[in-house]
Amino acid sequence: MIVLDNIHKHYGRVRANDGISLTLEPGRIYALVGENGAGKSTLMRVLAGHTRPTSGTLTMSGETLSHLTPALARKYGVGMLYQDPLDFPAMPVWENFQLGAPKRSKQEVIDVIGELSFRLDACFLPDEPVSSLTVGERQLLELLRLLDLGATTLILDEPTTGITPEQKQDLFNLLTKLAREDNHTIILVTHKLSEAYEMADAIFIMRQGRLVSTLTPPYDEKELVTLMFGEQADGEADELPSLDAGAPPRLTMTDTLFAGPKYSMGPMHFTAQPGECVGLAGLDGSGQELFLRGLCGLDRMPGGTIALDDSVFRANDFPALRRAGVQFVPADRLEMALFPALNLMEHITLAFPDKHDGLREFYDSQCVDCFNLRAHPDTQAKELSGGNQQRLLLSLMPDEAKLLLMEHPTRGLDAGSARQVWNHLMGRCRDGATLIFFSPDLDEVLEHAHRVIVFYDRAIAGIVDREHATMDVVGALMAGKPYAEVMEGAA
């Protein structure tokens, strides 16, 4: 049993945790929910030994402590899977897996990886560099490593981000088995309330640094949402903007080939209109990541052309495309988009050098008013919660961007914040921007797209308009069923 008693964590005047007390029992699955900035991640970092509380105590196996270190947390069997994996991208899979474990041969490590991977229906090539894995695959690898290290209290921060529905079900089955049969304690930090309803024996609700309630089944969704968001719970989402059928295309792809480090795809033909929202759907590694990275110039374009309005590009040069109005928002925020050691104001200064004279006022309007980024301007990016990192990243997009390319646009955001982001993006599209986005949440893709491009086996399996883009149709295409057969069945 683990007992947290009156935990406080203050950052100057900010009370990230304000007197939290809770008890965690073996053999149970808990969900920790709350809006962004509620203090969930801070509390879990205290339990994992990565953050020292300002005051309060932790009782671990009957021993009362003022704080934990990572080594001490590991001794008591606590392991945390972070939203942004803590790994070494340049190192191969097997070396990352071996970190912190007793000395053993490479073959022994490979055998353990294979055994644990089988339980999650995952597949890892031991010598493959971690940098070539998706965010979801890196999270799965880190989870397997924690299990190998003997963690009996598992903290999982948004564990289903970037994994397939099949892998999600395998993960939930494994977590249920660990709790019910092996007496592990499981803590899910999630914004997906459906996952909390499905898995949790109890739901802890945090708001503004405090634990406001603990719910047990049967759960009342309206009560939970009200406890999380208060008066903001009843906000409405904006509708998709109408398209001008006679407008010239914003994006035209002709015989376009993209080549990444692991595979290539094409030739492809596609056009998108100004104001259009195009969703991408597919299992991890099916091609949607390469599609976005090729369009922004991060991966090679060995053949074909890209036309943006009246400008034709025979080479997808990243700086040239960026100057032409292409903006890319990656899923891996700290690795690819933000500077971990720079504070919020320094990010704004770099992104908007022309706003130097009225920088603080611009910060308030761009970050606070538009995206509700409630953090001190001197806060470093690495100190932000995952949701606030996403808010910062979105606030760095210039208003004049013509083509927005986004991986996981609401990754790590609570329901209220996600609605706010989508309303902002819908406003961008009404002003003429074109949005192409990928989300592992298929419901999000279907809700916010005029059309859906479905990928299968590193190729476009079909392009489905909004009228026909149902869960059954898109899911069948994602599974590899022929387009003509699927559409005939949907008619």
Side-chain angles (χ1 to χ4, degrees):
M1 180 183 293
I2 297 174
V3 178
L4 282 68
D5 184 27
N6 200 27
I7 296 294
H8 288 261
K9 179 57 186 178
H10 304 164
Y11 294 98
R13 293 173 295 175
V14 178
R15 297 185 174 224
N17 289 158
D18 192 8
I20 296 176
S21 299
L22 54 84
T23 300
L24 303 169
E25 298 178 353
R28 291 175 65 81
I29 300 175
Y30 300 93
L32 182 62
V33 302
E35 61 183 333
N36 292 121
K40 306 182 300 296
S41 296
T42 300
L43 184 65
M44 291 299 98
R45 285 198 296 266
V46 168
L47 180 55
H50 291 279
T51 295
R52 183 167 182 159
T54 304
S55 62
T57 61
L58 302 93
T59 302
M60 316 287 293
S61 303
E63 184 176 354
T64 300
L65 306 164
S66 63
H67 68 281
L68 293 171
T69 63
L72 201 54
R74 178 182 165 189
K75 172 188 170 184
Y76 287 109
V78 178
M80 182 166 179
L81 174 66
Y82 285 86
Q83 192 172 327
D84 292 297
L86 299 179
D87 52 26
F88 293 89
M91 293 169 56
V93 164
W94 79 270
E95 289 185 355
N96 269 279
F97 184 86
Q98 175 62 13
L99 292 172
K103 185 176 181 180
R104 52 193 171 183
S105 69
K106 177 179 178 180
Q107 188 56 51
E108 289 174 323
V109 176
I110 291 173
D111 290 343
V112 174
I113 293 173
E115 179 183 344
L116 290 173
S117 298
F118 179 77
R119 297 170 69 179
L120 269 179
D121 194 26
C123 180
F124 293 102
L125 301 177
D127 292 313
E128 185 175 16
V130 166
S131 59
S132 66
L133 303 180
T134 66
V135 172
E137 290 169 335
R138 291 166 65 185
Q139 284 186 313
L140 283 177
L141 179 63
E142 180 67 8
L143 174 59
L144 299 185
R145 189 180 75 85
L146 293 175
L147 292 174
D148 179 57
L149 290 174
T152 55
T153 297
L154 284 169
I155 306 166
L156 297 96
D157 192 357
E158 301 291 347
T160 61
T161 298
I163 65 176
T164 67
E166 292 80 6
Q167 288 173 329
K168 170 186 167 181
Q169 193 56 55
D170 289 337
L171 173 63
F172 282 2
N173 291 341
L174 174 62
L175 294 178
T176 301
K177 180 178 182 298
L178 290 171
R180 306 298 183 237
E181 298 180 18
D182 300 337
N183 217 31
H184 284 41
T185 302
I186 309 295
I187 309 165
L188 296 174
V189 184
T190 182
H191 292 116
K192 299 176 182 177
L193 300 186
S194 60
E195 295 177 1
Y197 302 146
E198 178 182 351
M199 292 291 293
D201 300 308
I203 300 177
F204 299 122
I205 304 170
M206 290 186 63
R207 191 173 182 202
Q208 297 178 353
R210 297 182 178 180
L211 182 66
V212 295
S213 185
T214 301
L215 302 182
T216 55
Y219 299 117
D220 184 321
E221 181 177 356
K222 185 175 181 180
E223 178 189 12
L224 193 154
V225 171
T226 301
L227 286 168
M228 283 177 62
F229 302 111
E231 296 178 356
Q232 301 176 8
D234 298 326
E236 295 184 358
D238 291 352
E239 295 182 357
L240 279 170
S242 300
L243 299 179
D244 181 0
R250 165 60 44 76
L251 170 71
T252 303
M253 300 171 61
T254 306
D255 291 323
T256 308
L257 300 169
F258 290 142
K262 297 172 66 175
Y263 60 90
S264 59
M265 58 189 298
M268 293 173 285
H269 297 263
F270 178 69
T271 61
Q273 301 299 114
E276 186 172 13
C277 302
V278 180
L280 309 183
L283 303 181
D284 256 6
S286 296
Q288 61 272 22
E289 299 93 346
L290 178 57
F291 186 82
L292 289 176
R293 291 171 62 89
L295 279 176
C296 74
L298 287 178
D299 280 327
R300 296 185 301 112
M301 186 176 75
T305 61
I306 295 173
L308 190 67
D309 292 333
D310 296 326
S311 302
V312 178
F313 298 86
R314 299 187 181 280
N316 59 338
D317 178 64
F318 180 85
L321 288 169
R322 185 177 173 85
R323 288 193 297 270
V326 178
Q327 287 288 318
F328 176 56
V329 177
D332 194 344
R333 298 175 289 238
L334 288 181
E335 187 77 19
M336 294 183 62
L338 301 175
F339 296 92
L342 294 189
N343 64 36
L344 276 60
M345 194 63 78
E346 288 167 335
H347 278 88
I348 292 293
T349 302
L350 289 173
F352 303 98
D354 58 319
K355 306 292 185 181
H356 186 269
D357 291 339
L359 200 59
R360 182 53 194 260
E361 292 78 8
F362 182 74
Y363 169 85
D364 289 339
S365 64
Q366 186 77 359
C367 298
V368 180
D369 296 341
C370 285
F371 292 100
N372 198 30
L373 179 53
R374 303 292 178 178
H376 194 278
D378 291 336
T379 306
Q380 292 181 341
K382 64 183 178 183
E383 296 172 340
L384 297 172
S385 67
N388 279 336
Q389 288 176 2
Q390 189 74 358
R391 282 189 173 102
L392 172 60
L393 186 54
L394 293 171
S395 70
L396 299 178
M397 297 188 305
D399 291 339
E400 62 272 14
K402 297 178 180 179
L403 178 61
L404 302 176
L405 308 172
M406 308 184 73
E407 293 180 335
H408 305 197
T410 59
R411 181 177 176 229
L413 297 181
D414 58 64
S417 299
R419 183 177 62 245
Q420 183 183 28
V421 166
W422 276 114
N423 287 347
H424 177 84
L425 293 175
M426 292 301 102
R428 289 284 193 102
C429 291
R430 277 191 295 273
D431 291 338
T434 299
L435 170 65
I436 302 178
F437 72 96
F438 166 68
S439 171
D441 184 347
L442 190 52
D443 287 325
E444 184 174 47
V445 173
L446 299 180
E447 180 180 355
H448 298 290
H450 290 100
R451 289 185 294 164
V452 178
I453 306 177
V454 185
F455 293 83
Y456 174 75
D457 195 23
R458 301 163 185 176
I460 294 178
I463 302 175
V464 187
D465 60 30
R466 185 170 180 80
E467 180 183 354
H468 298 97
T470 64
M471 188 71 72
D472 289 341
V473 168
V474 174
L477 292 172
M478 288 172 60
K481 290 188 177 180
Y483 178 80
E485 178 183 327
V486 172
M487 299 312 294
E488 182 180 353

